[in-house]
DNA sequence: GCCAACGTTGGC
DNA sequence: GCCAACGTTGGC
């Protein structure tokens, strides 16, 4: 039985840095390096383990949704913020009172067909999605449930298939 | 590479 | 608190 409170998300990563194929290989990875407060607040406060997220390839040709993953932990301190050698180092964050937060994410499925940003924009049923709004940059966004399943379907996966693969 | 749309920083 | 300068994101 799936939790009725499952929430749905879209999370961006540049595939040159870390893409769906990397997550499929690794199985489970920390989603870290988020340095925007609005995105941090979603990571820290709004997500729950078991939530499902669209894996979005940003800065790609073309950009779009590549698959599905599952939020697989509670909020954890983002250790990169404590490492002076990391690009994501932030002196404001210390282990006693971490400013930046990560979640573990687990691979669920790669889409059979990549759903491009243009595909999202031209589908009237997806009107109002944040990701299609010009100029928006938020790297972690809530997604309406109906939009989530519609995008999975466009990617070649039924709701049933996604729920089975996600263990829910 | 360009640049619009932000978010952050810091002087005042 | 205002806002100009600057840095970043990310589509194109």
């Amino acid at each position: 039985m799936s939790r009725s409170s499952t929430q749905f998300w879209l999370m961006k990563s540049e595939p040159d840095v870390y893409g769906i194929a990397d997550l499929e290989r690794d199985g489970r990875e920390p989603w870290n390096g988020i340095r925007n407060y609005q995105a941090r607040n979603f990571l820290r406060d709004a997500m729950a383990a078991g939530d499902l997220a669209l894996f979005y390839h940003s800065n790609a040709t073309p950009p779009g949704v590549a698959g599905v993953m599952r939020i697989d932990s509670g909020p954890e301190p983002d250790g990169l913020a404590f490492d002076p050698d990391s690009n994501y180092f932030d002196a404001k964050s210390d282990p006693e009172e971490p400013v930046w937060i990560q979640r573990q994410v687990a691979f669920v499925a790669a889409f059979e067909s990549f759903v491009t940003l243009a595909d999202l924009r031209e589908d009237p049923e997806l009107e109002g999605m944040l990701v299609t709004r010009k100029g928006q940059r938020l790297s972690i966004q809530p997604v309406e449930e109906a939009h989530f399943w519609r995008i999975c379907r466009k990617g070649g996966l039924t709701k049933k298939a996604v729920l089975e693969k996600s263990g829910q």
Side-chain angles (χ1 to χ4, degrees), chain A residues 10 12 56 63-65 115-138 141-143 147 151 154:
Chain A
L10 179 147
K12 298 179 184 174
Y56 182 88
V65 181
V115 181
T116 68
L117 178 59
D119 293 333
L120 301 180
R121 286 197 162 125
E122 72 189 14
D123 184 345
E125 290 197 32
L126 297 177
E127 204 177 324
M129 284 194 75
L130 282 178
V131 72
T132 58
R133 230 182 61 199
K134 181 173 184 281
Q136 69 75 34
R137 306 183 304 172
L138 191 59
Q141 313 180 352
V143 172
H147 291 169
I151 292 167
K154 292 171 103 70

Side-chain angles (χ1 to χ4, degrees), chain A residues 20 33 38 63 123-124 131 133 144 148-149 159 161:
Chain A
I20 189 81
Q38 200 179 348
D123 184 345
V131 72
R133 230 182 61 199
E144 290 175 26
F148 182 91
W149 295 122
K159 175 175 178 177

